[in-house]
Amino acid sequence: KATVSVLYWLAAMTLTSTEVANGKKAKKVPNTILFGTGEYTTGWTGSGGSKSDKSMGVVGVVHFDLRSRGLVGDRIALCGRSGPKFQQIRDHFKKNITFTGMSTDFECFPAEDVACKPDAYLDALQAFKPGDICSVFTPDDTHFDICLAALERGLHVMVTKPVVKTLKEHQALVDKAREKGVLLQVEVHKRFDPVYNDACARMRDLGRFNHFTSYMSQPKLQLQTFKAWAGISSDISYYLNSHHIDFHVWAMTGIAVPVSVRAVASTGVAEEILGRPCEDTITLTVVWKNNAGGMGTAVYTASWTAGESDVHSQQRFFCLMEKGEVTADQCHRGYTVGADGERFASLNPLYIRNKADAKGRYCGRHGYGYLSFESFVEAATAINNEEATPESYDFDLPTGRSTLKMTAVLEAGRISLDEGGREVTIVYKGEDPVSLE
């Protein structure tokens, strides 16, 4: 039976990066490259600090804290395309990341006097060693080249969803990771949310799959942050539907598989904002086949033209199984705050907490946005120290291989949209999807 409890896995891990008790050999910890310098990594948007719930970023502050704990090495590099941007990022960090004992020092690629260098990631990789780690939070159409080069160099790779936009490229990355003996992991943090994690375990005890529906949104103001790529290099389904598709695929491991996809979209609002074609909302209708017989259906909807509300992103799902049902509203946790000069808000510190304690210390280590990276770092460290193999994490973590079905569904949805809403079939070889028809 597949092990699916990420929280159990995290609790069971006892790795440390400092000297082990009783004089045992210290573990080797990896240095880090953070590819991508945008909102999710730094909280900086190019025109100022983010106005979303990620004003400090996520990737950067998490790795700075991991460094303070000794779980990663002293070297953290940020890599983008524009050198002059790094001084703005340093100033943003200095102003906003002021936790006690947390250094925000970082190396940069390209150098700050280099106006633009699209292949700066190659220079960064040469400056680090096999066994080091990297995260890739760049536009979707750049993931493949950066991830492939990092894997070839022998680095463990954490890449944001979607891994890539095609099943063929995804499989190529899985093959390269296997060849190099390194970990390829996808940053789908919903797996680490205690509610979603518990829901996954309960869904698996309720028999055959019947129906699943999910909705996830971003406010239309976010299109200004995404204007360089929205509707050009990727779409809202790749960006947001990927979350719930991965969660559903993970929960149904060994129970059911997606077999066909149809997609529809609404348009008009994003086109007016961006001045070019771009879907507002994309819905994927997916047929699933139960291993024990019978069929199920799923409807995944994502939008980036929602209005402003008490949350930055609406996030919820409903799942009907043979012997019961499960519902989760991830963005409403019964915790609201109202303050003069600020909008009334439903907050979710279970994701990431950027509010310091009374002594100014960082308190975000238990957030599922943090645990996602911590699990990757600990797994990479275990592999480097020959305590585990990359393959041993295929059921416990969102590895490249275990997320192939997610990419198959997302690509099938894009093909369906581009070809008038036709049904696209997912072809399997054994447990893995291999092609689309």
Side-chain angles (χ1 to χ4, degrees):
K1 183 178 180 180
T3 301
V4 296
S5 175
V6 175
L7 295 183
Y8 173 82
W9 180 86
L10 288 171
M13 292 293 285
T14 58
L15 300 180
T16 63
S17 60
T18 55
E19 194 73 26
V20 177
N22 301 321
K24 293 183 180 180
K25 182 180 178 181
K27 295 185 184 295
K28 297 177 291 184
V29 297
N31 289 311
T32 307
I33 311 173
L34 309 181
F35 292 111
T37 58
E39 178 188 42
Y40 201 79
T41 297
T42 67
W44 181 256
T45 66
S47 59
S50 171
K51 294 179 174 60
S52 74
D53 57 348
K54 305 173 185 67
S55 59
M56 291 186 189
V58 175
V59 185
V61 69
V62 166
H63 282 83
F64 295 146
D65 186 67
L66 289 169
R67 177 171 61 186
S68 74
R69 296 170 60 194
L71 294 180
V72 300
D74 292 336
R75 296 183 64 201
I76 294 178
L78 266 64
C79 180
R81 297 161 55 100
S82 171
K85 183 179 180 180
F86 288 114
Q87 187 55 55
Q88 298 172 327
I89 293 172
R90 293 184 199 279
D91 293 342
H92 177 72
F93 284 166
K94 183 177 180 180
K95 177 181 178 181
N96 292 281
I97 303 179
T98 57
F99 300 109
T100 301
M102 181 184 290
S103 168
T104 60
D105 291 344
F106 65 87
E107 303 171 34
C108 63
F109 295 88
E112 294 187 42
D113 59 354
V114 176
C116 183
K117 196 172 192 296
D119 62 353
Y121 67 92
L122 296 175
D123 298 331
L125 288 171
Q126 288 304 310
F128 284 73
K129 298 178 180 180
D132 285 335
I133 63 173
C134 68
S135 66
V136 180
F137 283 75
T138 60
D140 294 354
D141 59 346
T142 66
H143 289 182
F144 180 74
D145 289 342
I146 297 173
C147 289
L148 186 65
L151 294 170
E152 183 65 48
R153 178 65 174 157
L155 272 70
H156 304 282
V157 175
M158 166 77 96
V159 57
T160 187
K161 46 71 198 166
V163 185
V164 283
K165 296 193 294 179
T166 69
L167 184 58
K168 181 179 179 180
E169 288 186 342
H170 192 151
Q171 187 60 65
L173 293 180
V174 171
D175 292 343
K176 181 58 68 174
R178 183 184 299 114
E179 173 192 331
K180 293 294 182 176
V182 294
L183 179 64
L184 172 63
Q185 183 171 327
V186 186
E187 207 287 305
V188 277
H189 45 255
K190 289 195 186 307
R191 293 197 187 197
F192 298 83
D193 177 354
V195 173
Y196 272 54
N197 190 274
D198 186 78
C200 172
R202 294 179 186 276
M203 288 159 61
R204 293 181 58 77
D205 287 336
L206 295 175
R208 291 175 295 179
F209 168 61
N210 193 282
H211 181 69
F212 184 98
T213 182
S214 64
Y215 175 68
M216 193 164 175
S217 71
Q218 296 260 295
K220 59 178 69 71
L221 62 85
Q222 198 71 12
L223 283 169
Q224 295 301 324
T225 301
F226 302 150
K227 63 184 178 182
W229 59 266
I232 298 175
S233 63
S234 193
D235 61 39
I236 188 57
S237 184
Y238 277 112
Y239 184 65
L240 287 187
N241 271 333
S242 49
H243 275 295
H244 280 107
I245 292 171
D246 172 74
F247 170 74
H248 190 201
V249 166
W250 176 51
M252 294 298 101
T253 301
I255 297 172
V257 297
V259 293
S260 67
V261 182
R262 289 182 186 273
V264 293
S266 56
T267 60
V269 178
E271 290 181 1
E272 292 179 355
I273 294 173
L274 298 173
R276 60 173 182 265
C278 179
E279 296 96 351
D280 298 340
T281 305
I282 295 176
T283 296
L284 307 184
T285 301
V286 182
V287 175
W288 285 67
K289 182 178 180 180
N290 282 290
N291 294 347
M295 310 300 286
T297 58
V299 180
Y300 313 104
T301 298
S303 177
W304 46 22
T305 55
E308 291 190 66
S309 69
D310 61 327
V311 297
H312 179 71
S313 175
Q314 299 284 348
Q315 306 178 36
R316 53 185 176 267
F317 80 85
F318 166 80
C319 183
L320 178 65
M321 300 293 289
E322 178 183 6
K323 300 176 183 178
E325 63 184 50
V326 178
T327 302
D329 181 350
Q330 191 176 43
C331 57
H332 294 99
R333 303 299 176 101
Y335 177 44
T336 59
V337 174
D340 291 346
E342 298 180 10
R343 64 179 176 83
F344 182 79
S346 294
L347 302 182
N348 180 17
L350 295 179
Y351 165 54
I352 195 78
R353 175 179 167 177
N354 288 329
K355 191 72 173 177
D357 69 7
K359 295 184 178 180
R361 294 172 297 196
Y362 180 70
C363 296
R365 294 174 185 174
H366 299 294
Y368 54 88
Y370 188 105
L371 292 174
S372 178
F373 289 101
E374 184 182 56
S375 72
F376 169 66
V377 169
E378 291 187 330
T381 300
I383 293 166
N384 287 347
N385 287 275
E386 299 182 344
E387 298 171 340
T389 64
E391 293 75 20
S392 63
Y393 295 105
D394 275 341
F395 290 112
D396 292 326
L397 296 178
T399 63
R401 179 168 181 254
S402 67
T403 54
L404 282 165
K405 296 183 184 72
M406 172 181 68
T407 298
V409 171
L410 290 167
E411 184 188 4
R414 187 67 252 174
I415 293 172
S416 180
L417 279 178
D418 292 341
E419 298 183 9
R422 78 166 177 91
E423 182 178 40
V424 179
T425 300
I426 302 173
V427 179
Y428 286 83
K429 182 178 181 180
E431 298 179 354
D432 296 333
V434 293
S435 64
L436 304 174
E437 293 181 349

